[in-house]
Amino acid sequence: MAPEIAASGSQNISISGLLRDLSGYADAKHSSKAATADEIAAAISLIFDNRLSETQCAALLTCLHFTGRDRDPLVLARCGQQMRDAATQVNRQALKKVVRTRGRKEGSYRGGFCDLVGTGGDGWSTFNVSTTASIVASSLLLLSKHGNRASSSTSGSADLLQAIAPRAPVIEAVTAKALPSVYENSNYAFLFAPTFHPGMRHVAPIRKQLPFRTIFNLLGPLANPVEGNIEARIVGVAKKDIGHIFAEALSLNGARKGMVVCGAEQLDEISCAGKTDCWRLVERPNPAFRGPRDEEDEDFTTSDEEGEPRTLVGIEYFSLQPSDFGLTAHPLSEVLPGKMPKDNAAKLMELLRNELTPGDPVLDFVLLNTAAMLVIAGVCDSDTSDMGHGDDGGVIRETGPGGLRWKEGVRRGRWAIESGQALASLEKYIEASHAATSH
C-alpha cells in the first residue's frame, strides 16, 4: 500500500503520500521517495471501488502521465492485475472445459482462447480491422474479443457489431455468467468492457476532462476478463516506443504466446501500407526445470511450487511487410472509410459474404491481421491441413520474418472467408448472444 494512504472522511481514501512521491515534492515535514509499482497499483485499485476523490484521481493520472510511470512495464502489469481483479469474475473452470471440449488443436495451438486487440489512439480511424480479423480467425480459433465503443475513432468494435444488419448481436447479454453457454455453440464472443468492468464508470468522466491519454488507454488490452485462460494474443500499440514495454508487461502478467505490433505510420494494427514493427513473446524450454518433460496438462509447471517453471518467455523483435504475406501494399488512404458504424458494418458483411474482389485493400488489410493471429496461435505450424470443404490441404511451408509461416496464415484466412465459415462463425455468435438474454 502506498505511504500515507489514509481514510479522509466518508468512503474516500487519501493518497497524498503517493502523489508527493510521484511528483518528487518534499518539504521540511515530508520527504520524497520513489513510488513502487505495487503502491501505484494499490492506488489505482481504489478507483474501481469509488474510494478516491475526483481531485486525487485526476492528480494520480496526471502524475503517472508526466513522469512516464504509466509506460513502466511493471506498473502496467500490476495495474492490469488490479483491473482484472476488480472485474466481474468469470467461471474459469467452465472455460477450461470449453477448451477441452470445443478447442481445435492444430500445430502448436492447444485450442485455447485468443484475443486480437489494439490500444487505440493512433488517430487514423481505419476500418475496424482487428474486430473483423478476430471474426475471421474464429473459424479456426476460440476468440475472446475484448472491446468497447469508440473513444477516439468514428467506429469502435462495439459500435461495429451493434450496427450489423439485419440482426445484430446483443453484446450486453454476454456476461460473465452467460459466457460458458455462449461458447457451447460459438467459437466467438465479444466481451463488452462496460459489462465486465463496471468500476471503470467512476473514472470515465475524469478521463474525458483530461487533455491527454491516461494509463487506462494502455490497460484495456491487459484487462481481458478471461486473461488467465488466454493462450495467444496480438496487441496493437500506436507508438513504437511502447512496443517492447508492452511486450514486457504481457510477459510479467504471465502471457507466454503473443505479439505486439505497431505499423510504421503509428498504427495499432499490422499495416497494409508498409513496415510493421513486431515484438513477439517466444516460449522456450527452461533447462533448469526438473519436472516431467512430456506433461500435457496446460496448468502443469512443476511438482515443486517454488521450483523453476517448465518454460521461459523471451521477446524477439522483427519487422513485417505485406509482401511477407504474399500481399500487395495499399496506402492507408484506401482503408480509411471515415464512416459511421453502419457503413463499416456493411463492409464487414460484404467481406464475410465473399463479395470483395481479390486484392481489395480492406480485404488484404483484414487478411494480414487474420493471418498474424493464426500464425501466433500456432495453427500454421502444422504440416497438414484439413480445415473442411474447400481446403485442398496445400500447406505453404515457406517461412518469413521470425521464422514463421505468414503466407500460410493468409491461405487459411482466405479459406475461412471463401468457404463461408467466417460468416457462419459470426452468425453463431449472434444467435448465442440472443440466447444469452435469458441468463
Side-chain angles (χ1 to χ4, degrees), residues 65-107:
H65 178 77
F66 286 103
T67 60
R69 294 302 301 277
D70 59 359
R71 276 89 77 197
D72 178 325
L74 188 57
V75 169
L76 289 171
R78 294 288 188 270
C79 290
Q81 181 65 59
Q82 291 289 353
M83 190 169 172
R84 295 194 303 274
D85 288 347
T88 305
Q89 298 299 299
V90 300
N91 185 332
R92 302 199 179 281
Q93 291 305 314
L95 292 181
K96 287 181 180 179
K97 182 179 178 181
V98 168
V99 173
R100 288 194 300 269
T101 58
R102 299 202 69 251
R104 175 177 172 172
K105 296 182 180 181
E106 189 169 9

Side-chain angles (χ1 to χ4, degrees), residues 241-252:
D241 60 2
I242 63 172
H244 193 279
I245 290 169
F246 216 93
E248 284 189 54
L250 286 172
S251 178
L252 288 168

Side-chain angles (χ1 to χ4, degrees), residues 170-383:
V170 186
I171 62 174
E172 297 91 346
V174 182
T175 62
K177 180 180 179 181
L179 192 58
S181 65
V182 169
Y183 279 121
E184 287 179 6
N185 298 297
S186 170
N187 274 10
Y188 189 85
F190 180 74
L191 311 185
F192 186 40
T195 299
F196 288 85
H197 298 284
M200 286 295 292
R201 70 184 184 277
H202 304 305
V203 73
I206 298 169
R207 293 173 65 192
K208 288 180 180 179
Q209 295 180 64
L210 295 175
F212 50 81
R213 289 170 63 79
T214 72
I215 190 172
F216 287 107
N217 294 99
L218 297 179
L219 291 183
L222 295 170
N224 191 311
V226 302
E227 175 65 32
N229 298 83
I230 291 180
E231 177 179 347
R233 77 203 72 207
I234 290 183
V235 178
V237 296
K239 292 184 181 297
K240 181 180 178 180
D241 60 2
I242 63 172
H244 193 279
I245 290 169
F246 216 93
E248 284 189 54
L250 286 172
S251 178
L252 288 168
N253 263 345
R256 296 181 291 179
K257 187 190 289 186
M259 188 166 73
V260 178
V261 300
C262 180
E265 309 83 5
Q266 302 298 287
L267 182 72
D268 68 336
E269 320 278 4
I270 294 179
S271 176
C272 62
K275 177 183 175 183
T276 296
D277 294 292
C278 306
W279 297 264
R280 180 188 172 214
L281 300 183
V282 181
E283 187 179 21
R284 296 189 177 91
N286 181 2
F289 177 67
R290 294 293 176 261
R293 298 285 174 177
D294 58 351
E295 179 59 57
E296 294 184 356
D297 181 358
E298 65 183 28
D299 296 321
F300 182 84
T301 53
T302 175
S303 57
D304 178 4
E305 292 185 358
E306 301 300 320
E308 291 284 344
R310 184 172 53 176
T311 59
L312 299 174
V313 176
I315 300 172
E316 288 185 355
Y317 168 83
F318 52 83
S319 64
L320 288 168
Q321 301 275 354
S323 57
D324 295 317
F325 296 81
L327 297 172
T328 302
H330 303 278
L332 290 185
S333 60
E334 296 185 1
V335 292
L336 292 174
K339 298 178 181 177
M340 300 304 292
K342 65 176 184 177
D343 302 304
N344 286 352
K347 178 66 74 172
L348 163 68
M349 297 311 293
E350 283 183 53
L351 184 147
L352 295 181
R353 294 185 185 118
N354 195 29
E355 294 172 356
L356 299 183
T357 58
D360 180 277
V362 169
L363 174 60
D364 283 355
F365 196 17
V366 171
L367 284 172
L368 284 169
N369 287 272
T370 301
M373 185 73 262
L374 296 175
V375 167
I376 295 304
V379 168
C380 300
D381 295 338
S382 176
D383 288 333

